Amino acid sequence: KAGVTQTPRYLIKTRGQQVTLSCSPISGHRSVSWYQQTPGQGLQFLFEYFSETQRNKGNFPGRFSGRQFSNSRSEMNVSTLELGDSALYLCASSYESGNTIYFGEGSWLTVV
Amino acid sequence: TQLLEQSPQFLSIQEGENLTVYCNSSSVFSSLQWYRQEPGEGPVLLVTVVTGGEVKKLKRLTFQFGDARKDSSLHITAAQPGDTGLYLCAGEGDSSYKLIFGSGTRLLVRP
């Protein structure tokens, strides 16, 4: 059974640009959540989607957005990138909330 | 705001030594999870503790949930270089849809 797949794995963007990250959950999983991991702040919750609906959102500015498609695949977008957005962005999936979540390997974003 | 504090932040020990990592909060959590993350990879779930006072063992790793469900500990016996990694505790936030993570304990086990 394939794990959570995130693309791209590594990318470099310039300040002011926007970026879209993609996440394919484990087959059959309907919940997808996103986290940002930085050395200073650790792992912080961004948002969670279930059946194309955002059920919860963390304390991030509106530049961070996401969506989920009917096949449960999810994307997150960050607009007007800032240097502080450099981080590892992790996607996790589970069958339903409260179940074990499985993380992908993450997308490393560097903003220069 | 629910917060989880982990200690120590860094730990460098010799192979064969024992160690304990702590995860503390002033808030009650319905459950706590422990993850290990290796460089270049996402966190991998080690265990979930649900009941106050619960103790779970996973080979050389022993996990305990505090009676009041506000704290947890991870004890590793006879650490091995393969135990090296970032250990994270996490609890469900104000909804079951998000996890609150501790700041992590970076463990290095020297051969």
Side-chain angles (χ1 to χ4, degrees):
Chain A
K1 187 170 173 179
V4 178
T5 304
Q6 292 188 245
T7 57
R9 286 295 316 278
Y10 305 92
L11 66 166
I12 300 174
K13 290 286 189 177
T14 305
R15 271 182 301 176
Q17 287 187 314
Q18 66 95 26
V19 66
T20 299
L21 308 177
S22 179
C23 172
S24 292
I26 291 173
S27 178
H29 284 192
R30 300 180 294 175
S31 170
V32 174
S33 51
W34 289 88
Y35 291 81
Q36 181 197 62
Q37 187 174 28
T38 60
Q41 299 297 319
L43 263 158
Q44 292 187 293
F45 173 79
L46 280 159
F47 25 64
E48 189 263 356
Y49 288 88
F50 183 85
S51 293
E52 302 179 67
T53 300
Q54 185 184 92
R55 295 196 293 190
N56 209 339
K57 191 177 191 303
N59 296 323
F60 280 82
R63 300 184 297 106
F64 292 80
S65 63
R67 59 178 175 168
Q68 186 181 33
F69 303 96
S70 58
N71 61 359
S72 293
R73 191 176 69 85
S74 177
E75 289 181 347
M76 68 163 283
N77 184 78
V78 187
S79 62
T80 320
L81 284 165
E82 301 176 359
L83 295 179
D85 297 333
S86 296
L88 176 65
Y89 289 89
L90 291 160
C91 169
S93 77
S94 68
Y95 178 73
E96 171 55 282
S97 65
N99 295 143
T100 300
I101 67 171
Y102 297 87
F103 283 89
E105 293 181 322
S107 292
W108 285 96
L109 170 65
T110 301
V111 182
V112 298
Chain B
T1 303
Q2 293 174 297
L3 292 173
L4 282 167
E5 296 183 357
Q6 279 187 247
S7 61
Q9 281 188 297
F10 303 98
L11 201 50
S12 178
I13 62 172
Q14 204 70 35
E15 181 177 1
E17 293 182 356
N18 302 331
L19 67 117
T20 302
V21 176
Y22 300 93
C23 176
N24 296 296
S25 176
S26 57
S27 304
V28 174
F29 285 91
S30 57
S31 67
L32 276 180
Q33 302 173 13
W34 284 91
Y35 292 81
R36 185 172 77 192
Q37 184 177 19
E38 299 188 29
E41 300 181 8
V44 175
L45 179 66
L46 295 173
V47 77
T48 300
V49 285
V50 180
T51 306
E54 182 178 6
V55 176
K56 280 192 175 179
K57 292 192 175 185
L58 186 66
K59 296 183 181 178
R60 293 176 294 100
L61 279 60
T62 301
F63 304 85
Q64 186 161 6
F65 200 12
D67 291 341
R69 292 185 291 137
K70 292 183 178 181
D71 55 86
S72 181
S73 64
L74 157 61
H75 182 80
I76 301 179
T77 303
Q80 299 177 0
D83 296 327
T84 293
L86 176 66
Y87 288 82
L88 297 155
C89 65
E92 288 187 354
D94 50 17
S95 81
S96 61
Y97 308 143
K98 73 176 187 182
L99 290 176
I100 294 173
F101 280 85
S103 51
T105 294
R106 198 165 294 278
L107 171 66
L108 171 65
V109 182
R110 306 185 306 275

